[in-house]
Amino acid sequence: MDSPAHDYPTGLFFDVQGPPCLSLYEPTHRSHPDNQQDRIRFRNLVKALEDSLRRTYPEEKIRALIEPFRNLAADRGFWNHTLDGLAVLAAPGLFLAYRLQRPVPELAVVADSFHTKPLLRILQSADRYQVLGLNRKEIKLFEGNRDALDEIELADEVPRTIIEALGEELTEPHLTVSTYGSGPAGPAMHHGQGGRKDEVDLDAERFFRVVDRAVLEHHSRPSGLPLVLAALPEHHHLFRRVSHNPFLLEEGIDVHPDAVSAGELRERAWRAVEPYYLARLDELVEAFGAAKTKGLGADDPAQVAEAAVAGRVTSLLIDAGCEIPGRIDSTTGQVEFDDLAHPEVDDLLDDLAEWVMRSGGQVVVVPPERMPTGTGVAAIYRY
């Protein structure tokens, strides 16, 4: 399973060498019996892709494109561990499948480029966060939003246990030997300096330092997500003392994830993240208002499109409940408004986000009730 959080920023979705690009989206279910129909619906969507391909492409090319979809449909293990949504993107030489923590509208599209808006809405939503669960011996990492939280696979460079981090040779207590008397009158007395607790504390500190650096480098910085610590209170104190992770929130969870249910862990994590989430949205909205009064912001989609193509947009707020049918001319930035009734017509917001991300800007999907405009967009310019 590839990670959309890794692939989207790297431009993998955008740099496909030529059509056809196949995009399949499906809402799925986590448990039985709701998930029984997921595989049937998937096969129906694959059939729709096949029918669309037959209008233009020869049978041999169609077979090569569809075969990975059929292999996925036959993978019982995959369908027994689905989440809330599924996205599959395929092109010649490329096949990407993503389990998603939010439902997506059912869609099957064959076009010259991938339909990525559903993934963008998930990846750039401002309510995403990560949870680091740790004790003295091992760590776990979770990722989620206000509605879902799931354990994720750690990067290969991140140690999962204290043995992986420090090796087999952990700290030994230092012993000194003092002799009181000798021979029958004075047996040797051994006194330890540095007891078992000191040894364990030292190893835990070394382990936490390694974990902190690895999580920062391979998860926090690449994702930019706030990090919630879930651990016993004494481990909070030690980890925070050695941590240099600027994404680590002050508010944490004072139990290890194994000690609570998945639902309780998500609720406690969201209580820690929500104030940060609301403050971040307020800052973005205030920044837009200030920029607009100075002529460095706009909410007109056509104006924002021209600025995005010119690389002038540093921050873009998108209304999560809005769709604007249309396309952007890649040379002039001019907008051609269209009709979204046909699945191959793009949403202008999808294209805007792509242009802003290509130029190193940030894109944040905002709930409708917190958008500062009624047009679906709010852009802050670099100049």
Side-chain angles (χ1 to χ4, degrees), residues 23-27 45 49 104-109 115 118 342-344:
S23 306
L24 183 153
Y25 292 91
E26 176 189 359
L45 290 168
L49 292 174
V104 289
E106 192 171 282
L107 185 66
V109 179
H115 184 82
H342 193 286
E344 293 187 13

Side-chain angles (χ1 to χ4, degrees), residues 141-314:
L141 191 64
F142 302 80
E143 187 169 310
N145 52 56
R146 70 173 74 195
D147 301 314
L149 180 66
D150 297 287
E151 186 173 357
I152 63 173
E153 186 175 349
L154 289 162
D156 292 339
E157 298 84 357
V158 179
R160 292 148 182 79
T161 67
I162 191 171
I163 299 298
E164 289 184 20
L166 306 182
E168 296 285 350
E169 297 182 5
L170 301 180
T171 304
E172 295 292 341
H174 301 289
L175 296 176
T176 60
V177 179
S178 300
T179 301
Y180 299 93
S182 61
M189 302 293 293
H190 297 263
H191 294 269
Q193 293 181 345
R196 176 63 182 166
K197 184 177 184 304
D198 293 334
E199 172 194 350
V200 171
D201 286 346
L202 180 57
D203 286 336
E205 180 175 331
R206 293 168 61 210
F207 176 44
F208 288 175
R209 287 184 188 276
V210 174
V211 166
D212 180 62
R213 288 194 298 268
V215 169
L216 174 60
E217 180 179 354
H218 299 288
H219 289 282
S220 293
R221 278 205 184 106
S223 70
L225 298 179
L227 181 67
V228 179
L229 181 62
L232 294 175
E234 59 266 31
H235 297 158
H236 273 267
H237 175 73
L238 180 56
F239 186 82
R240 291 179 186 280
R241 181 161 61 82
V242 303
S243 176
H244 296 282
N245 190 330
F247 299 92
L248 181 64
L249 299 185
E250 291 185 13
E251 183 71 21
I253 302 171
D254 60 359
V255 296
H256 188 272
D258 290 347
V260 294
S261 68
E264 183 177 349
L265 182 65
R266 179 193 58 77
E267 290 175 3
R268 295 183 68 165
W270 181 244
R271 284 201 297 270
V273 172
E274 187 175 24
Y276 167 89
Y277 161 75
L278 294 175
R280 184 186 177 206
L281 288 185
D282 287 343
E283 288 177 4
L284 288 168
V285 170
E286 289 178 11
F288 167 73
K292 191 175 181 183
T293 61
K294 300 175 183 177
L296 292 174
D299 59 1
D300 179 83
Q303 293 179 15
V304 174
E306 291 185 11
V309 171
R312 294 174 53 209
V313 179
T314 185

